[in-house]
Amino acid sequence: MENVPELDALTNGKTTDFAYLFYGCSSISQFPELNLSNATTVSAIFQGCVGLVEAPELNMPNVTNLQSFYRECTNLTTLPVYDFTNITGMQYFIKDCPNLTDESLNNAMLSIATAKAYAGTKTLKWFGFSEEQATKC
């Protein structure tokens, strides 16, 4: 099979901007193969992907912007702990993700705690927790 340039750009590790890549793709049920090792912005990459259920561990050492990453992924239940050391933008990371398990909410809390580069507000609401989710943590 011939290499498709568009797909190669997602897996070759050279692409830096993945913002809005799968925005609103409701039919995605599994995470596509992505190489985010050189990415710096992935904001809203999966926003509105209601078919996603389980978030994978992702290697994103250079990412600085995660704004709305999983926003409106209403069927998402699991979320691993991510290293947010270099993150400067993470507003609404999990906003409108009502089905996250308690363990995933705790993982999100641990992820927020690693955001050393971000000096602004790090409240649960700002990160995207609903009032109900915030009371579980």
Side-chain angles (χ1 to χ4, degrees), residues 23-82:
Y23 180 89
C25 292
S26 59
S27 62
I28 292 178
S29 60
Q30 293 184 334
F31 278 81
E33 181 182 339
L34 297 173
N35 184 338
L36 301 175
S37 61
N38 202 36
T40 55
T41 185
V42 290
S43 57
I45 187 173
F46 294 112
Q47 182 174 344
C49 294
V50 296
L52 293 177
V53 175
E54 189 173 324
E57 293 184 21
L58 296 169
N59 180 22
M60 305 181 287
N62 299 306
V63 169
T64 57
N65 189 343
L66 291 168
Q67 186 169 333
S68 299
F69 193 87
Y70 292 120
R71 186 177 186 170
E72 299 166 353
C73 291
T74 55
N75 291 310
L76 190 65
T77 59
T78 62
L79 190 70
V81 176
Y82 291 114

Side-chain angles (χ1 to χ4, degrees), residues 58-122:
L58 296 169
N59 180 22
M60 305 181 287
N62 299 306
V63 169
T64 57
N65 189 343
L66 291 168
Q67 186 169 333
S68 299
F69 193 87
Y70 292 120
R71 186 177 186 170
E72 299 166 353
C73 291
T74 55
N75 291 310
L76 190 65
T77 59
T78 62
L79 190 70
V81 176
Y82 291 114
D83 180 359
F84 285 175
T85 304
N86 296 317
I87 302 305
T88 57
M90 58 183 176
Q91 185 175 18
Y92 302 139
F93 182 75
I94 56 167
K95 184 168 177 61
D96 300 322
C97 295
N99 292 309
L100 289 170
T101 64
D102 290 351
E103 180 181 359
S104 292
L105 294 173
N106 287 329
N107 288 346
M109 292 283 295
L110 291 170
S111 299
I112 293 169
T114 67
K116 296 174 187 152
Y118 184 73
T121 303
K122 286 198 274 187

